[in-house]
Amino acid sequence: MPEWLKKAIFYEVYPQSFLDTNGDGIGDINGITQKLPYIRNLGCNAVWINPCFDSPFMDAGYDVRDYKKVAPRYGTNEDLIRLFETAHTLGMHVLLDLVPGHTSEEHPWFRQSSLARENEFTNRYVWTEGVWDYPVGYHFISGRSQRDGNYLVNFFSTQPALNYGFAKRTEAWQMPPEHPACVATREAMKDVMRFWLDRGCDGFRVDMANSLVKNDDEQKSATGALWRNVREMLDTAYPQAALVSEWSQPEQALPAGFHCDFFLNEKGNGYYRLLRDTDEAGGKPNSFFCRDGGGDVLPFLEEFQQRYRSTKDRGYIGLITCNHDTERLGGSLTPQEIKLAYAFLFTLPGVPFLYYGDEVGMRYRKGMVSKEGGYRRTGTRTPMQWTAGQNAGFSEAPAAKLYLPVDDAPDAPNVEAQAGQAESLYETVRSLLHLRAQYAQLSADAPFEVLYVQKRGCPLVYRRGSLVFLLNPSAAVAAAPVQVRGSLLYAIGTPVKMTADSVLVPPQSFSVVQEDAAE
Ligand code: NOJ
């Protein structure tokens, strides 16, 4: 286990929208490097960069054409290496985004694989035996190549699936995972990992990590075996490199060798319901953090605690403020509600991930025309809002040339307006992250225990070592029959009142109490 993950606080950067330093309207690597001190000052000590590799950008870079080359629109490999070096000087770590499940249809491996003539890459992807062979239950593309066969895709039709084999085989064209062609795919991906690790990267966020071996059993045993093989390489040669999975099932991903797995806010699950549950009519937001919503923290807590208990000795759960695929909270929750949501997320065990712009409450922008395969995700990918000036300080290019239009609302939040303002969301995020960094009780692996929770009720009281947290997002004072004795360490809103045998938690508030040592 890389030691640094214990205290890691991540900032996710969507490179095209962060900072443009060469005036072409698209963010770049040098823009990220320039802002590393900003990210560090905010309180994050690690960065995850979405794919920044050569790509035709049919899926915003999740369609890689060359795993070993930075996309020219972002800069050069040397720029990225300089970014790693600067990060390390600042005591930070950097994860790249590894996309092992598929490539772009323009990747040279796929071009070779599409040829009629047999070659080294013929079985690098999954092909049927002939073009008239169109198995049901799969997403195959036909009629696009010289080769007489159809190819399987992993996501969009421009993203052919790499061949790691099929755990259960029902058709002649399905190979076992131990087939030399499938092993060669795995080894090629390990080669890509070594390439960047040798140049200074600190690990990977792994895209669709659970998707590799097809027709796997429910436990994803064959895919797990593949990742354990990758992990062996890391343990031997790169013991401080971190592997974070997009799997969203830590119970499977951590035994499969990942150090951390995201708990994604997928529609219907506890995390989604915590942050953005809607009322039964599906309209008004009814998150636990809505002042007047009457939302419920229990579905999340039950799911989280169950996952936490079954994985806490193996690795970490990654909790996100949102990511490049999901809606931002800005726009559906008020700044005060967002502060309380972050207070909860940033004091839970596991590893927190803050999406760029969420520190100022950038809003999800509804109804945007899709860009690079974004579709409804496009509204969460707009340029970072640094200032109230031209293009929100993102770029000096003419507005029409920007990757996406900036939020031009007169009250669009930005960093410049909030920095130094004690009550701002930005300063609250900073103080919360500094609190997290300061106390060992807030490390990823430090214990967590719920002391008081009620169905559709407040407050929520939980403990991490000698620290007790009292959270009440509702509009009314909330009392709990819990004894807490100690001194107030931190508060958002009015601090908790502690009586001999209960606590009174003021409306829309969060307090942290350091308990007195037992006599
Ligand atoms: C998950 C990524 O987060 C998403 O942005 C991408 O479109 C798909 N995987 C396909 O790679």
Side-chain angles (χ1 to χ4, degrees), residues 150-378:
N150 301 322
Y151 61 89
L152 182 68
V153 303
N154 217 28
F155 198 69
F156 289 149
S157 61
T158 49
Q159 292 160 306
L162 283 161
N163 186 15
Y164 296 91
F166 284 67
K168 245 189 353 246
R169 293 167 297 282
T170 51
E171 314 275 347
W173 48 267
Q174 301 173 339
M175 295 174 173
E178 57 280 7
H179 188 284
C182 305
V183 172
T185 310
R186 183 193 73 201
E187 293 304 310
M189 215 37 73
K190 282 158 73 178
D191 174 58
V192 168
M193 295 172 82
R194 284 191 297 264
F195 179 86
W196 288 113
L197 290 168
D198 289 342
R199 280 159 185 73
C201 111
D202 299 294
F204 302 92
R205 174 269 187 188
V206 180
D207 187 69
M208 292 173 70
N210 57 350
S211 76
L212 302 195
V213 179
K214 307 300 183 199
N215 273 0
D216 208 348
D217 59 21
E218 236 182 273
Q219 283 68 43
K220 300 269 171 187
S221 314
T223 303
L226 187 155
W227 284 114
R228 278 190 295 278
N229 174 284
V230 175
R231 170 72 180 266
E232 257 175 54
M233 172 186 85
L234 295 185
D235 285 350
T236 313
Y238 308 92
Q240 286 301 311
L243 263 191
V244 177
S245 48
E246 186 199 33
W247 193 308
S248 209
Q249 231 167 318
E251 314 83 288
Q252 286 181 359
L254 302 185
F258 286 91
H259 300 109
C260 174
D261 181 39
F262 290 113
F263 187 174
L264 295 176
N265 44 344
E266 287 155 345
K267 212 163 185 149
N269 78 6
Y271 195 34
Y272 182 90
R273 295 183 60 190
L274 173 77
L275 295 177
R276 48 176 65 262
D277 201 2
T278 47
D279 62 15
E280 265 143 41
K284 192 164 137 264
N286 190 28
S287 146
F288 175 60
F289 298 102
C290 286
R291 193 182 76 126
D292 304 312
D296 198 358
V297 73
L298 259 184
F300 166 76
L301 264 187
E302 280 166 3
E303 212 171 317
F304 179 77
Q305 278 182 294
Q306 196 202 347
R307 290 181 152 184
Y308 170 70
R309 282 193 207 108
S310 65
T311 59
K312 69 183 170 48
D313 299 323
R314 283 183 181 271
Y316 308 129
I317 297 175
L319 286 170
I320 58 173
T321 55
C322 87
N323 70 18
H324 60 289
D325 293 332
T326 61
E327 283 184 26
R328 295 181 185 275
L329 296 181
S332 71
L333 296 184
T334 67
Q336 184 68 10
E337 290 168 345
I338 296 176
K339 286 181 192 173
L340 298 174
Y342 290 173
F344 185 44
L345 299 185
F346 296 156
T347 54
L348 285 176
V351 183
F353 285 74
L354 176 81
Y355 186 55
Y356 81 95
D358 279 354
E359 68 271 37
V360 291
M362 269 176 65
R363 297 174 186 142
Y364 173 71
R365 303 207 54 213
K366 290 200 175 94
M368 295 200 70
V369 175
S370 180
K371 176 87 178 185
E372 296 185 347
Y375 301 96
R376 63 166 170 69
R377 307 176 295 183
T378 306

Side-chain angles (χ1 to χ4, degrees), residues 290-294 457-459 471-479 504-509:
C290 286
R291 193 182 76 126
D292 304 312
C458 289
L471 174 64
N472 175 18
S474 81
V477 180
L504 287 174
V505 191
Q508 286 205 293
S509 76

